[in-house]
Amino acid sequence: MPWDLPVSVFSCHFFHRLTWSFLWSLFWIIQISVCVSRVFIATHFPHQVILGVIAGMLVAEAFEPMPAIQTASLKTYIKTNAFLFVSALGLYLVLKLIDIDLLWSVPKAKKWCANPEWINIDTTPFAGLVRNVGALFGLGLSINSEMFITNCKSFKHGCKASFKIACIAASLVTLQLYDVIKLPSQTESLFYVLSFCKSAAIPLTVVALIPYCLHLLVKPTEKKLP
């Protein structure tokens, strides 16, 4: 039939639009739920949540088109980490000298929180800085690892949807297991070191280790196929 091709193209385009609409709707539902929950459990003030969302969107929009993120060497990631850490620490010290306290929200949180014991060391800005620097280091470590390079070579021409779904499922389970790990907070220096290591291990596991392990499981099966 002459109209079979246009109908097929329209159906494919409609399904693609419907799928992306569903995924974006699900994404924003999750984002809004997380934002509301952070305020509800008194982890953050509303203005912190709103500014965090805006800052995250701006960073993603600025860095997403840059291929250097995926091709940068580990040395570049280490230099970037050092620059971010030193600049953030320097800014904090400068503001401290002119009597501007970036931790002004902590006393208010302890005053108004239903249980002041919920305000602990991992809610401080420095703890957030350590987590972010650790995650960036872990990303650099993962994309420069032999596991990631092997994955890229194996899936140069794409990979099956079932493999992607398996990676997503395994990653979600692993992230839940990481979330169960509670770091000792009695000693600040030990807490920050362990927090850095944990934050670095998460992208290394998700980006490199899980796809590599699943690839090793799938590889023997692919060889058996005619």
Side-chain angles (χ1 to χ4, degrees):
M1 294 290 180
W3 55 81
D4 285 349
L5 182 59
V7 170
S8 177
V9 172
F10 174 78
S11 299
C12 183
H13 179 70
F14 175 76
F15 179 76
H16 178 77
R17 291 286 299 273
L18 185 64
T19 302
W20 274 107
S21 298
F22 170 76
L23 292 175
W24 274 109
S25 300
L26 183 63
F27 169 79
W28 279 111
I29 289 173
I30 294 173
Q31 289 292 320
I32 294 173
S33 299
V34 170
C35 293
V36 172
S37 70
R38 305 309 287 177
V39 177
F40 180 76
I41 64 175
T43 303
H44 293 291
F45 290 104
H47 73 278
Q48 293 174 324
V49 173
I50 295 171
L51 290 175
V53 172
I54 295 174
M57 293 173 64
L58 292 175
V59 169
E61 186 67 25
F63 287 96
E64 192 274 335
M66 296 184 180
I69 295 177
Q70 301 178 9
T71 58
S73 64
L74 181 58
K75 187 177 181 180
T76 301
Y77 271 93
I78 293 175
K79 288 181 178 179
T80 305
N81 263 349
F83 171 76
L84 292 175
F85 183 80
V86 171
S87 60
L89 189 60
L91 177 63
Y92 172 77
L93 293 176
V94 169
L95 293 177
K96 191 80 171 176
L97 289 174
I98 57 177
D99 292 329
I100 297 179
D101 188 11
L102 293 179
L103 303 179
W104 63 270
S105 63
V106 176
K108 290 184 179 293
K110 289 182 178 180
K111 179 181 179 181
W112 297 106
C113 186
N115 187 356
E117 294 181 359
W118 292 343
I119 313 300
N120 47 48
I121 189 172
D122 63 349
T123 62
T124 61
F126 188 74
L129 173 63
V130 171
R131 285 195 298 268
N132 292 334
V133 171
L136 184 61
F137 176 75
L139 179 62
L141 197 63
S142 62
I143 66 174
N144 286 279
S145 66
E146 287 296 326
M147 293 183 293
F148 184 79
I149 294 172
T150 301
N151 294 337
C152 291
K153 290 180 179 178
S154 302
F155 302 112
K156 186 183 296 184
H157 303 293
C159 56
K160 296 180 180 179
S162 57
F163 180 83
K164 294 180 180 179
I165 293 173
C167 287
I168 293 173
S171 297
L172 290 174
V173 172
T174 305
L175 290 175
Q176 290 299 317
L177 294 176
Y178 271 118
D179 191 54
V180 172
I181 301 174
K182 301 301 179 184
L183 304 178
S185 57
Q186 291 78 11
T187 306
E188 286 193 22
S189 57
L190 178 61
F191 173 82
Y192 289 133
V193 170
L194 294 178
S195 179
F196 177 88
C197 295
K198 179 182 176 182
S199 300
I202 291 174
L204 179 62
T205 303
V206 173
V207 176
L209 182 60
I210 289 177
Y212 180 75
C213 292
L214 290 177
H215 171 64
L216 292 181
L217 293 174
V218 173
K219 195 174 180 180
T221 307
E222 292 178 343
K223 285 185 175 180
K224 293 178 182 179
L225 294 176

